[in-house]
Amino acid sequence: MTTADPGWLPDRLLPGYEARTLPGRRPAPPGPQARAVAAGGVAPVLTLVRPGRAPDAPRGVVVHLHGYNDYFFATHLADALADAGWAFLAVDARRAGRSWREGEVPHYQGDLREQASDLGRAVAAARAAWPGLPVVVHAHSTGGLVAALWAHAHRARGGADAVVLNSPFLSVVRSWVRPLQDGALRPLARRAPLRVVAHRPSRYAARLAERWDVDTTLKRPQGVAVRAGWLAALRAGQLRVARGLAVGVPVLVARSARSAVEHGAGAVADGPALDDADTVLDVATIAALAPRLGTDVREVVVDGGVHDLALSLDGPRAAYLGAVVEFLDTLVR
């Protein structure tokens, strides 16, 4: 695969990578979330990102979806998968990363099916580029919640062959988001979906920017405002997980061994936990909800891992990437 493929151009952020922009689709029918969805704008786009070179004879394809206040920049993830024989395709979902456009509300979605649609487009692109090969979705945090719901919705046809969830955002309990009562949140989201209900700096994002080559206009240390429409969409998805999903393909749920979260504060203020714990989500909640995702859910716990396990310090990062590759190996033996 080369830039000779229609629509692929050199990526503006990562040397040696290519990007392709596609129009985003609206979820249909949007139902009660119609006003919240419309608040996001009428012409969203998504951006596919891939290395300029893929393995000559790949064993399969990994499609990566980022989290909130995030975008794809972790080239070492693609490199580790390439070393294991897997092609790689990332998607910057609508209003995030490369797909954000002037005037849009960063990372906003009024219905999680918006981002799920972007993930589905990326999986379809992967299947078209590498026909006949297994496709595995690798998704982080809010992207992990979206990927789980998408895999459940596509369990009969059109889904992935397996799913890897890196610290999925399955509940707001003891997380960086201060929850509102759902009974108050839902009408607020319908009436004023762009109402800011929380906004604070992210010490976690600031710490990652100290350790990684991050574009801080796309992963913002100052944080991204939480809007009523987004939070209501998030809660609706999390409540669906709590009732139980039926993802029919293997699911690997990965999390740190411990959390260090100040409830509703975004992260611990400072200190060593920023380098060896999940300072965004409660790992015990992830562990409790993971079995509700499907019929074949496996777990990996990374001692010393941070919220994005692929961005942990060297030892925990190697352990995480090794566990992912080992999981992928079980799919193609």
Side-chain angles (χ1 to χ4, degrees), residues 61-117:
V61 191
V62 174
V63 175
H64 171 75
L65 176 63
H66 57 81
Y68 192 71
N69 190 20
D70 207 355
Y71 71 105
F72 172 67
F73 62 90
T75 57
H76 62 277
L77 172 62
D79 291 343
L81 294 169
D83 289 344
W86 289 74
F88 182 85
L89 183 69
V91 55
D92 277 10
R94 61 190 66 195
R95 308 182 192 100
R98 299 162 178 82
S99 301
W100 178 82
R101 297 294 182 265
E102 191 70 36
E104 291 184 335
V105 179
H107 297 274
Y108 178 82
Q109 52 181 327
D111 187 324
L112 295 188
R113 291 178 297 175
E114 293 188 78
Q115 198 171 94
S117 172

Side-chain angles (χ1 to χ4, degrees), residues 103-312:
E104 291 184 335
V105 179
H107 297 274
Y108 178 82
Q109 52 181 327
D111 187 324
L112 295 188
R113 291 178 297 175
E114 293 188 78
Q115 198 171 94
S117 172
D118 298 344
L119 175 60
R121 299 284 298 282
V123 169
R127 292 203 184 280
W130 291 281
L133 294 182
V135 175
V136 177
V137 167
H138 177 276
H140 171 58
S141 199
T142 306
L145 172 63
V146 169
L149 294 166
W150 174 85
H152 169 79
H154 292 82
R155 60 194 180 278
R157 55 181 296 182
D161 296 289
V163 179
V164 178
L165 303 179
N166 171 0
S167 304
F169 195 1
L170 302 182
S171 173
V172 295
V173 173
R174 292 187 294 275
S175 76
W176 70 277
V177 177
R178 184 181 301 278
L180 301 178
Q181 291 295 323
D182 292 321
L185 177 61
R186 284 190 291 267
L188 177 61
R190 289 193 292 269
R191 183 177 68 252
L194 296 183
R195 176 77 59 83
V196 174
V197 296
H199 191 191
R200 54 184 60 86
S202 171
R203 185 67 187 95
Y204 168 72
R207 181 60 176 146
L208 291 182
E210 294 169 0
R211 296 182 49 236
W212 297 93
D213 186 9
V214 174
D215 185 328
T216 54
T217 67
L218 303 181
K219 188 173 182 67
R220 306 178 182 198
Q222 68 269 33
V224 174
V226 174
R227 310 276 176 167
W230 177 85
L231 184 55
L234 181 84
R235 289 294 299 139
Q238 292 176 340
L239 291 171
R240 182 65 189 88
V241 169
R243 294 196 298 271
L245 304 183
V247 178
V249 298
V251 180
L252 179 67
V253 178
R255 60 178 176 85
S256 178
R258 71 183 187 97
S259 292
V261 183
E262 286 185 359
H263 176 63
V268 293
D270 211 333
L274 286 166
D275 287 329
D276 64 13
D278 191 327
T279 56
V280 178
L281 301 182
D282 176 54
V283 297
T285 304
I286 296 173
L289 290 171
R292 304 186 191 185
L293 297 177
T295 55
D296 182 1
V297 179
R298 313 170 197 184
E299 181 183 60
V300 61
V301 179
V302 179
D303 190 23
V306 298
H307 177 53
D308 187 340
L309 296 163
L311 300 179
S312 301

